[in-house]
């Protein structure tokens, strides 16, 4: 994992604000990828400063400026594609030739260069996937519902349909709520244990009638069972609730409005 980085200004853009800081998972010219936090934008109040969602009550002009800044982390001409995330396991294949729209899905895949597959999160796990040799990438939004629906397995299978090999895929699990802070009802934890055979290793006792879940641990096992080598799965960034000053966290907001942060991946041309 590389440290916080920010790309330089392009020629003719000296008057523009710099691109926001981001975490990178890999150092590979074939991939354009980043995990952003909440810093480097213009939003105010609970959305300060790099809120990327236009559906949480933030000022539209601020969100648009935040997107302009984030796009500077990718080469000129990259098409950034978002989905209407519904906390499921639906996967949508993105093509440059398709009409610009937001599919209802929580996973995006493509085998075409010049497309940045985007997910927005604020405690859920952003998962970036790449088979660099076969030229197939994916981006998953994995909340607890998506993990329970095995979005990792479904996403890998869809990438395989596009020519990827599970053993050739590398995965990065970005900033997300950690087991230290993700408390759920014991009944939900039991649902995980019954549905996913590997779940008990990622369930810890909590307060009475509660349990602690390790979403990134669950996703790691899920991807490994789908054929992704464990050595190729990396965890990037901290617990979002613990680091709520640097990342948006709905748990930390305790029901108050908050923003969403961006993670994306694409193939260089």
């Amino acid at each position: 994992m590389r440290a916080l980085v920010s790309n330089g200004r392009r020629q003719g853009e000296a008057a523009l604000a710099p691109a926001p800081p981001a975490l990178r998972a890999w150092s590979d010219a074939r991939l354009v990828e980043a995990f952003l936090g909440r810093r480097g934008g213009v939003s105010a109040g609970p959305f300060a400063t790099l809120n990327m969602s236009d559906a949480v009550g933030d000022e539209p002009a601020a969100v648009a400026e935040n997107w302009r800044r984030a796009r500077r982390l990718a080469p000129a001409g990259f098409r950034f594609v978002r989905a209407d995330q519904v906390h499921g396991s639906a996967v949508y294949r993105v093509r440059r030739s398709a009409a610009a729209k937001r599919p209802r899905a929580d996973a995006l895949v493509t085998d075409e260069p010049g497309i940045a597959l985007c997910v927005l999160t604020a405690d859920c796990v952003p998962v970036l996937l790449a088979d660099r040799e076969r030229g197939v990438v994916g981006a998953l939004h994995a909340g607890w519902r998506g993990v329970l629906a095995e979005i990792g397995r479904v996403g890998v299978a869809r990438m395989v349909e596009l020519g990827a090999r599970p053993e050739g895929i590398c995965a990065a699990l970005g900033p997300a709520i950690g087991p230290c802070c993700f408390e759920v009802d014991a009944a939900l934890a039991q649902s995980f244990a019954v549905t996913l055979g590997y779940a008990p290793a990622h369930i810890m006792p909590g307060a009475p009638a509660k349990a602690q879940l390790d979403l990134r641990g669950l996703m790691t096992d899920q991807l490994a069972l789908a054929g992704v080598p464990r050595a190729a799965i990396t965890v990037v960034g901290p617990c979002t609730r613990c680091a709520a000053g640097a990342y948006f966290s709905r748990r930390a907001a305790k029901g108050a409005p908050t923003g969403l942060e961006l993670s994306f991946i694409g193939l260089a041309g």
Side-chain angles (χ1 to χ4, degrees):
M1 183 191 79
R2 288 193 280 166
L4 282 170
V5 297
S6 179
N7 73 334
R9 294 174 175 173
R10 298 191 186 115
Q11 186 176 4
E13 293 184 335
L16 296 182
L23 289 171
R24 309 283 199 181
W26 304 288
S27 179
D28 191 322
R30 292 169 291 184
L31 298 178
V32 177
E33 46 86 18
F35 295 101
L36 282 65
R38 64 182 299 167
R39 296 170 177 162
V42 299
S43 295
F47 312 113
T49 63
L50 193 68
N51 167 51
M52 304 299 290
S53 174
D54 53 12
V56 294
D58 196 1
E59 291 292 335
V63 177
E65 174 60 23
N66 292 342
W67 275 98
R68 279 191 289 271
R69 295 185 180 198
R71 288 189 177 97
R72 301 189 66 226
L73 288 164
F78 251 68
R79 177 187 168 201
F80 280 65
V81 177
R82 291 178 270 174
D84 284 336
Q85 298 169 180
V86 293
H87 291 277
S89 61
V91 184
Y92 181 82
R93 179 184 180 182
V94 180
R95 298 178 174 91
R96 288 193 69 88
S97 60
K101 65 175 183 178
R102 293 191 196 177
R104 288 177 58 82
D106 286 274
L108 302 173
V109 296
T110 192
D111 58 353
E112 299 182 22
I115 298 172
L117 307 177
C118 301
V119 292
L120 301 182
T121 58
D123 285 337
C124 295
V125 185
V127 182
L128 305 183
L129 304 167
D131 184 331
R132 292 169 278 196
E133 296 300 326
R134 298 295 181 92
V136 183
V137 293
L140 316 180
H141 162 251
W144 70 260
R145 292 177 179 84
V147 174
L148 194 58
E150 295 193 277
I151 190 171
R153 176 184 59 80
V154 176
V156 168
R158 191 71 175 97
M159 288 178 66
V160 170
E161 291 176 9
L162 297 185
R165 299 167 303 126
E167 64 272 19
I169 293 175
C170 56
L173 283 55
I177 196 164
C180 50
C181 295
F182 192 42
E183 183 181 73
V184 300
D185 290 340
L188 177 59
Q190 181 62 21
S191 294
F192 272 85
V194 170
T195 305
L196 306 176
Y198 49 88
H202 305 290
I203 301 171
M204 289 137 284
K210 300 288 184 179
Q212 305 292 127
L213 279 187
D214 182 356
L215 287 180
R216 291 195 285 192
L218 286 160
M219 279 302 304
T220 296
D221 276 4
Q222 195 169 112
L223 292 170
L225 286 170
V228 179
R230 285 189 180 273
I233 304 172
T234 184
V235 172
V236 179
C239 166
T240 44
R241 186 176 184 182
C242 289
Y247 297 92
F248 291 111
S249 168
R250 284 187 165 147
R251 285 290 177 113
K254 299 180 180 179
T258 192
L260 299 178
E261 57 229 9
L262 169 68
S263 304
F264 67 85
I265 188 168
L267 296 164

